[in-house]
Amino acid sequence: MSSTAPTTVTRLADYRAPEFLIEKTQLTFELHEAYTDVSSQLTLVRNLQGSQAAHLQLHGEQLELLTLAIDNRMLTSKDYRTTPQNLTIYNVPERFVLHCTTRIYPEKNTALEGLYRSSGMYCTQCEAEGFRKITYYLDRPDVMSEFETIIIADEDAFSTMLSNGNCVSDTVKDGKRIVHWRDPFKKPSYLFALVAGNLACLEDHFTTQSGRQVLLQIYTAAKDQDKCHFAMQSLKKAMRWDEQTYGREYDLDRFMIVAVDDFNMGAMENKGLNVFNTSCVLAHPASTTDAAFRRVEGVIGHEYFHNWSGNRVTCRDWFQLSLKEGLTVFRDSEFSADMNSRAVKRIEDANVIRSVQFVEDAGPMAHPVRPESYMEISNFYTVTIYEKGAEVVRMLANILGPALYRQATDLYFNRFDGQAVTCDDFVQCMEEVSGKDLSQFRLWYSQAGTPHLQISDHYDAAHQQYSLTIRQHTPATPGQTDKKVLHIPFKIALYGNQAALPLVINGQNQGTETVLDICQNEQTIVFEQVTESPIPSLLRSFSAPVKISYDYQLPQLQQLILLDNDGFCRWDAMQNLMRMVLSKAIDGEDNHAEQAALIAVIKQLLTNHASMDAALLACMLSLPNSPYLASLYEKADPVAISQARTQLQDQIASELQTELLNCYQTLQDQVHGLTAPAMAARSLRNAALAYLLHIDEARYRELAQQQFAQADNMTDQYAALCALVHAEHATTMAQEALAAFYQQWQHEALVVNMWFQVQATRPWGDVLQTVQKLLTHEAFDARNPNKLRAVIAAFASQNFAQFHDKSGQGYQFLAEQIADIDQRNPQMASRLLTPLTHWHQFTDAHATLMRAALESLAQRELSKDVYEVVSKSLNQASH
Ligand code: ZN
């Protein structure tokens, strides 16, 4: 590899307590057009837990050091040393005040980390290690300090000047406005935030369970003020939910949310001052889809819940990232399940785990929920840390049961309030409260890879016994070859012909559903008094993030699809049946029996759609996605996978067009408004429409065209647009709809992104050419992460058929874009790279081309972020 990126590795095993602590942090920001001066006054004290080094070493990057003083004594160049990453001050006292002034250039900051400008406003992003781009500091989460912030700008420059905590004063002097903030809660530097801009504000209030009034504010550009009501309602629901579910009350007098256009991630939980990507906070029925509404609610909840899980109790080091993220995702996921359909939420989560996390876990970037090393921490904000981490917390919650889980979280929050702790501290609370031995369970934190459960069974009619044998195996991952046996909570039911059977194990009656503790390499469970040969309903509610194999017969799957009372299992049985059809097609085998069974059961569901949850049925109608299908193969052929999916969609559409059309038409009157039943009806109706457009007939396209023109909400308008644009036969109708859509929505950035996305994800035609054209469109902006996601990420990770075109041009295109983006925004570049890291999943022809794209990147000068991913991906050959 000829690239020149630094390759320092940080290891969990090297963790040392900080040498110094910072009791108080006082910051003053003077905002000027071309630069910002930051002066800091830090009260430092030696940490008795640290080793007793004579020097103080602070973090700092891309800073211009203007002045440096200790206890009012100016330091000279012989007192300290700077490197690109650090400031070292020699022979410091045990306790002192460090005064430091640095100059930074927010206008030039394209990485969107530290202090930067977005659409004219100033804002900060400090997690994980952005604070060191603002001033010299001990920029690590186990250094928690009380912060005071003073912001100074020209009197009329900004209407809004915000920082964490409560506003102490807001004055004008000599033409300057001076705003002073104080946050009474100790926090690590990654939770610091500052915002200055000309913003409108939506206000409301919330009365906490103990009767305190909290001022709630959502700041946005003036034109977006009417899009904040839903976020405000969501915030109030989240605040109430956390009081009721976890006993957690908000702690400051004020809670602020600011929406920014340019943001690398979804949102950020800065203490009392959350910063949100506009895509995760703005919502209006005319311009926002139902899915996006639910995402806003979920992310608002997520960031709010961090106030306890992350802020009051924070992480000791970044290897413990899942301590806050896994727990907080579990919390937001339960919040969403309580606010909407629990079954649908569970299916969505399971689908992400399976089609994204399992893939990550099988690739070169596989890492445990608590990683052991990293080159660049930004690369570890992954589905493993977030979603698998949430599944680990969910398993703990299920093992303990609701009452003990609540006692354990109470203990955790109370014991560690104001501290920076570890994943182990969290599990320890679970153990203490329940008296359960969780030593084997802890392996979920340290062991990467997806366990695979091989399940076989035997029914003994004479003794009315049914035995189930479960074998577990976790494949090797980079750097971890021998895997240990995990503790897997495995929820199960047994179905008879009509309903679930009573479960009796060792003479004990367990009701109709039970959780088996799978703790051995191979385990057999015997169910007694089983009066008929049962159908096992396995891994109910996706009780653990594992793969399972069980050899279902077609009628068994049909039965589960129709009867199972666990929404996840119904969906999963359908996915299984669809997968059987698709695998046989991909492998060139005869699949008539599977196909007939599938069509028959879908027909039955569609005919009786009124008798079931429409949202669940909509989920059940969608085929297993391509990345998931690819993950089932040693070496997958992406072209064959895409073809098989399309063929099956064509076939379902043509054989069931009467039922689909009927379903579409009967739901017509139920799709208005923002109620749950209306949203459910829309999702089913649009699923039916998408199928109908697989039939090359004008009448179905006209249906879509009509829906596009007449829709009173974005969900229906956009679904109709997608159906038209994604249809195999390009039509002028699709072109007209695209033009009309742009015409109507060109002033709404978030909707324009959807317009980009629908084009970048078209499975047919020369999409690469379209994508390249979109990059030069007037509305495209290569510095804006949402635009990059809407065009480049949409093409590379949501357009399987086109990205994997056998020419390899999609791969080269992505590599070139990444090289370019890396110059400005390494975090974004590195995230966009993910699809190429999966090269080992594909047939040699594709794998070679994907590797070639990675190798072309490796020839360049890369950021640490991209370097880590490229180099790890290419070394995969040896695994
Ligand atoms: Zn989070």
Side-chain angles (χ1 to χ4, degrees):
M1 187 148 317
S2 66
S3 93
T4 55
T7 55
T8 2
V9 174
T10 306
R11 290 175 207 285
L12 170 57
D14 295 339
Y15 174 81
R16 298 290 176 274
E19 305 280 351
F20 288 85
L21 300 175
I22 306 178
E23 279 182 357
K24 258 186 174 308
T25 302
Q26 285 159 290
L27 302 169
T28 303
F29 288 79
E30 288 176 53
L31 306 176
H32 301 278
E33 243 336 284
Y35 62 90
T36 293
D37 286 340
V38 183
S39 63
S40 76
Q41 201 174 306
L42 311 179
T43 308
L44 284 136
V45 284
R46 188 174 285 285
N47 180 17
L48 297 174
Q49 263 84 60
S51 74
Q52 305 299 305
H55 311 321
L56 168 70
Q57 193 180 65
L58 299 172
H59 301 110
E61 286 174 17
Q62 299 163 37
L63 302 173
E64 244 174 68
L65 180 57
L66 301 183
T67 66
L68 196 57
I70 283 187
D71 296 332
N72 296 321
R73 179 178 70 85
M74 292 299 283
L75 302 188
T76 63
S77 60
K78 64 179 191 321
D79 297 318
Y80 65 88
R81 183 172 70 101
T82 58
T83 66
Q85 263 101 45
N86 297 106
L87 164 65
T88 305
I89 308 175
Y90 306 124
N91 299 313
V92 295
E94 298 297 284
R95 181 185 185 93
F96 58 99
V97 175
L98 179 70
H99 195 293
C100 171
T101 312
T102 49
R103 178 162 293 178
I104 53 179
Y105 298 87
E107 339 288 317
K108 296 188 191 154
N109 182 348
T110 55
L112 313 184
E113 191 191 41
L115 180 66
Y116 65 95
R117 296 196 81 164
S118 171
S119 306
M121 80 161 121
Y122 285 85
C123 66
T124 54
Q125 174 50 45
C126 295
E127 189 179 3
E129 299 181 333
F131 192 76
R132 62 188 65 185
K133 293 177 160 184
I134 293 174
T135 187
Y136 287 105
Y137 204 76
L138 290 170
D139 190 14
R140 45 186 285 170
D142 57 355
V143 172
M144 299 176 80
S145 178
E146 263 181 54
F147 279 71
E148 263 183 63
T149 310
I150 294 171
I151 313 169
I152 304 173
D154 282 342
E155 184 181 346
D156 306 316
F158 308 109
S159 65
T160 303
M161 293 160 75
L162 310 174
S163 190
N164 315 86
N166 301 313
C167 186
V168 181
S169 64
D170 187 342
T171 54
V172 174
K173 197 181 160 198
D174 303 332
K176 296 280 184 187
R177 181 163 166 214
I178 305 165
V179 185
H180 187 161
W181 293 84
R182 182 183 296 134
D183 180 358
F185 293 96
K186 281 168 59 175
K187 66 168 176 288
S189 50
Y190 85 85
L191 291 172
F192 169 80
L194 176 150
V195 167
N198 290 303
L199 301 171
C201 178
L202 175 70
E203 287 197 356
D204 206 332
H205 290 88
F206 179 83
T207 307
T208 67
Q209 61 186 3
S210 72
R212 281 185 316 104
Q213 263 235 342
V214 180
L215 171 63
L216 309 178
Q217 297 180 309
I218 302 181
Y219 290 90
T220 61
K223 72 171 183 59
D224 292 327
Q225 248 212 310
D226 60 332
K227 305 187 191 82
C228 295
H229 298 281
F230 181 78
M232 185 64 87
Q233 294 313 311
S234 302
L235 175 59
K236 290 195 280 181
K237 285 183 190 171
M239 295 177 87
R240 192 62 76 210
W241 185 91
D242 213 17
E243 293 183 343
Q244 288 168 349
T245 317
Y246 281 84
R248 298 294 119 198
E249 188 171 323
Y250 188 62
D251 48 13
L252 289 162
D253 303 335
R254 172 165 177 164
F255 186 79
M256 299 172 278
I257 288 173
V258 179
V260 303
D261 287 323
D262 304 282
F263 202 73
N264 285 342
M265 308 279 275
M268 179 62 211
E269 70 264 24
N270 315 300
K271 183 75 185 189
L273 177 54
N274 289 0
V275 172
F276 271 63
N277 188 322
T278 44
S279 71
C280 293
V281 57
L282 302 183
H284 188 282
S287 55
T288 307
T289 62
D290 295 340
F293 268 105
R294 284 201 303 272
R295 171 144 173 84
V296 168
E297 184 180 73
V299 179
I300 292 271
H302 180 96
E303 306 310 331
Y304 174 74
F305 300 144
H306 267 313
N307 190 55
W308 276 96
S309 48
N311 302 3
R312 289 287 287 259
V313 180
T314 196
C315 304
R316 187 192 73 172
D317 54 73
W318 292 118
F319 298 102
Q320 320 296 328
L321 179 57
S322 197
L323 174 73
K324 75 175 176 81
E325 295 305 346
L327 175 55
T328 305
V329 171
F330 173 61
R331 278 150 58 66
D332 85 54
S333 164
E334 283 297 290
F335 168 61
S336 293
D338 284 344
M339 297 299 123
N340 306 288
S341 158
R342 178 163 286 273
V344 170
K345 177 62 179 157
R346 197 66 197 124
I347 290 166
E348 287 168 355
D349 288 351
N351 204 21
V352 168
I353 290 276
R354 246 187 213 170
S355 57
V356 190
Q357 199 277 324
F358 286 0
V359 174
E360 177 168 277
D361 232 353
M365 290 298 290
H367 54 277
V369 166
R370 183 187 51 228
E372 245 123 59
S373 69
Y374 57 76
M375 287 183 209
E376 171 51 61
I377 184 58
S378 301
N379 284 330
F380 285 78
Y381 286 76
T382 60
V383 272
T384 299
I385 302 295
Y386 275 70
E387 274 73 24
K388 186 178 180 180
E391 294 302 319
V392 171
V393 176
R394 179 183 298 276
M395 288 190 284
L396 283 170
N398 287 338
I399 289 170
L400 266 67
L404 285 176
Y405 174 70
R406 171 63 194 274
Q407 271 183 43
T409 57
D410 281 352
L411 176 63
Y412 170 73
F413 289 126
N414 295 336
R415 177 180 288 173
F416 298 119
D417 190 7
Q419 296 184 47
V421 302
T422 64
C423 297
D424 222 46
D425 291 321
F426 180 75
V427 181
Q428 171 80 31
C429 290
M430 303 282 143
E431 221 162 24
E432 253 178 69
V433 159
S434 67
K436 293 198 163 141
D437 177 3
L438 297 172
S439 42
Q440 188 185 10
F441 187 86
R442 278 187 168 82
L443 291 168
W444 281 105
Y445 285 94
S446 57
Q447 186 164 290
T450 306
H452 186 173
L453 306 190
Q454 213 92 46
I455 302 166
S456 57
D457 61 352
H458 175 72
Y459 180 61
D460 178 346
H463 297 95
Q464 299 201 331
Q465 281 188 347
Y466 176 72
S467 54
L468 205 62
T469 300
I470 303 181
R471 277 188 300 128
Q472 62 166 291
H473 169 74
T474 305
T477 53
Q480 268 191 352
T481 41
D482 62 348
K483 300 289 183 180
K484 301 203 174 66
V485 175
L486 291 171
H487 173 184
I488 299 168
F490 192 79
K491 201 190 278 184
I492 177 173
L494 299 179
Y495 272 86
N497 227 333
Q498 300 300 326
L501 303 172
L503 305 176
V504 181
I505 303 174
N506 291 329
Q508 302 264 327
N509 200 318
Q510 321 261 348
T512 53
E513 181 180 78
T514 193
V515 179
L516 306 173
D517 285 301
I518 304 301
C519 298
Q520 292 157 32
N521 204 13
E522 178 172 331
Q523 219 163 314
T524 298
I525 299 95
V526 179
F527 297 88
E528 298 143 14
Q529 301 165 42
V530 185
T531 52
E532 54 186 305
S533 178
I535 306 168
S537 168
L538 302 168
L539 199 69
R540 288 168 72 79
S541 68
F542 198 60
S543 65
V546 300
K547 295 184 184 174
I548 56 172
S549 304
Y550 171 81
D551 209 0
Y552 278 111
Q553 304 301 303
L554 296 177
Q556 294 185 313
L557 286 176
Q558 286 175 309
Q559 179 95 338
L560 291 177
I561 289 167
L562 296 173
L563 269 192
D564 203 317
N565 64 2
D566 182 296
F568 163 78
C569 283
R570 273 186 100 169
W571 170 81
D572 193 36
M574 180 70 100
Q575 291 275 298
N576 250 315
L577 183 51
M578 290 168 161
R579 180 190 46 75
M580 286 162 99
V581 178
L582 292 165
S583 306
K584 291 209 161 174
I586 293 164
D587 301 339
E589 291 168 24
D590 172 53
N591 64 0
H592 278 92
E594 290 79 8
Q595 236 176 59
L598 177 64
I599 302 277
V601 76
I602 297 180
K603 183 171 189 162
Q604 205 168 333
L605 289 172
L606 284 174
T607 313
N608 301 308
H609 71 85
S611 66
M612 77 175 283
D613 175 8
L616 175 60
L617 180 51
C619 292
M620 290 173 71
L621 289 179
S622 54
L623 300 189
N625 60 38
S626 302
Y628 167 69
L629 291 168
S631 77
L632 302 172
Y633 288 83
E634 193 64 36
K635 283 171 184 283
D637 176 355
V639 178
I641 288 175
S642 304
Q643 268 171 9
R645 286 185 89 250
T646 311
Q647 266 165 24
L648 182 54
Q649 282 161 337
D650 289 350
Q651 176 151 20
I652 293 172
S654 67
E655 292 199 28
L656 298 175
Q657 54 182 301
T658 317
E659 290 77 11
L660 288 163
L661 185 59
N662 212 321
C663 176
Y664 182 84
Q665 281 165 341
T666 48
L667 289 169
Q668 192 157 358
D669 299 329
Q670 298 168 39
V671 294
H672 305 287
L674 268 182
T675 62
M679 289 194 273
R682 279 197 284 274
S683 62
L684 178 54
R685 191 159 175 263
N686 289 325
L689 181 68
Y691 270 112
L692 288 171
L693 274 269
H694 275 263
I695 301 166
D696 188 12
E697 280 183 36
R699 60 181 172 135
Y700 295 125
R701 288 192 282 272
E702 276 154 21
L703 222 51
Q705 190 187 38
Q706 236 173 52
Q707 177 172 322
F708 177 81
Q710 292 165 7
D712 63 0
N713 61 79
M714 181 51 81
T715 305
D716 282 346
Q717 190 183 11
Y718 188 62
L721 180 67
C722 289
L724 284 169
V725 174
H726 290 180
E728 181 170 359
H729 303 278
T731 56
T732 49
M733 239 184 239
Q735 286 310 315
E736 282 164 14
L738 272 175
F741 194 78
Y742 185 75
Q743 181 63 28
Q744 183 181 356
W745 294 112
Q746 55 187 313
H747 303 298
E748 295 291 344
L750 296 174
V751 187
V752 171
N753 292 347
M754 294 161 59
W755 181 81
F756 282 131
Q757 188 174 356
V758 67
Q759 296 176 76
T761 53
R762 175 161 205 262
W764 314 104
D766 192 347
V767 180
L768 186 53
Q769 197 189 10
T770 308
V771 163
Q772 264 154 340
K773 230 172 94 190
L774 292 177
L775 296 181
T776 64
H777 190 273
E778 56 169 4
F780 188 78
D781 174 1
R783 287 160 311 174
N784 177 261
N786 290 351
K787 298 263 184 292
L788 295 175
R789 282 183 274 260
V791 178
I792 297 169
F795 172 73
S797 44
Q798 292 163 49
N799 196 344
F800 195 83
Q802 291 280 328
F803 176 63
H804 290 287
D805 181 82
K806 64 180 185 334
S807 67
Q809 284 175 12
Y811 308 147
Q812 277 305 329
F813 165 77
L814 184 61
E816 282 155 26
Q817 290 300 316
I818 286 167
D820 178 47
I821 295 161
D822 196 33
Q823 312 283 317
R824 300 183 297 271
N825 188 334
Q827 287 182 15
M828 275 307 295
S830 177
R831 290 187 160 264
L832 292 171
L833 189 51
T834 308
L836 281 177
T837 67
H838 302 148
W839 64 267
H840 53 93
Q841 283 200 323
F842 298 102
T843 49
D844 293 344
H846 288 273
T848 308
L849 292 166
M850 292 172 89
R851 276 187 68 99
L854 285 166
E855 270 150 11
S856 74
L857 272 174
Q859 301 306 318
R860 302 185 179 237
E861 197 163 315
L862 301 172
S863 67
K864 206 171 162 184
D865 308 57
V866 173
Y867 176 80
E868 177 171 33
V869 179
V870 168
S871 61
K872 287 185 174 172
S873 300
L874 287 174
N875 285 343
Q876 170 74 356
S878 58
H879 294 294

